[in-house]
Amino acid sequence: MWIEKDNKLTKTFKFKDFTEAFGFMTRVAFIAEKMNHHPDWRNVYNTVEINLNTHDAGGVITDRDKNLAEKIDQIIG
């Protein structure tokens, strides 16, 4: 579940290993690039933390963030 915190949508994803985490990030990167809306994220081994907000709107959560979050969730299934 995405959590609204400090004007960001945030979610942490855990995977079996680094390869799965990196594969997930690659898939997200292609979607984000098509949307021209790029996440703030962090990866350590099997964990990916994603934070979404819209800098052009003053660093708040917008529909662009919600749409990207929905597409990210679809990757996981």
Side-chain angles (χ1 to χ4, degrees), residues 3-10 40 51-53 59-61:
I3 298 168
E4 289 190 30
K5 181 179 177 185
D6 299 326
N7 290 320
K8 298 175 187 170
L9 285 178
T10 186
D40 172 16
N51 295 292
L52 303 173
N53 68 8
V60 297
I61 299 167

Side-chain angles (χ1 to χ4, degrees), residues 10-63:
T10 186
K11 188 170 182 178
T12 301
F13 299 86
K14 295 247 183 204
F15 299 92
K16 183 179 79 172
D17 55 27
F18 177 75
T19 301
E20 282 192 11
F22 192 83
F24 167 75
M25 291 177 73
T26 301
R27 293 178 71 190
V28 171
F30 282 113
I31 292 167
E33 186 65 18
K34 284 182 184 177
M35 295 177 69
N36 193 30
H37 192 53
H38 306 94
D40 172 16
W41 54 9
R42 182 172 185 266
N43 166 243
V44 177
Y45 183 58
N46 69 333
T47 304
V48 178
E49 179 184 315
I50 300 178
N51 295 292
L52 303 173
N53 68 8
T54 303
H55 301 286
D56 295 347
V60 297
I61 299 167
T62 67
D63 286 340

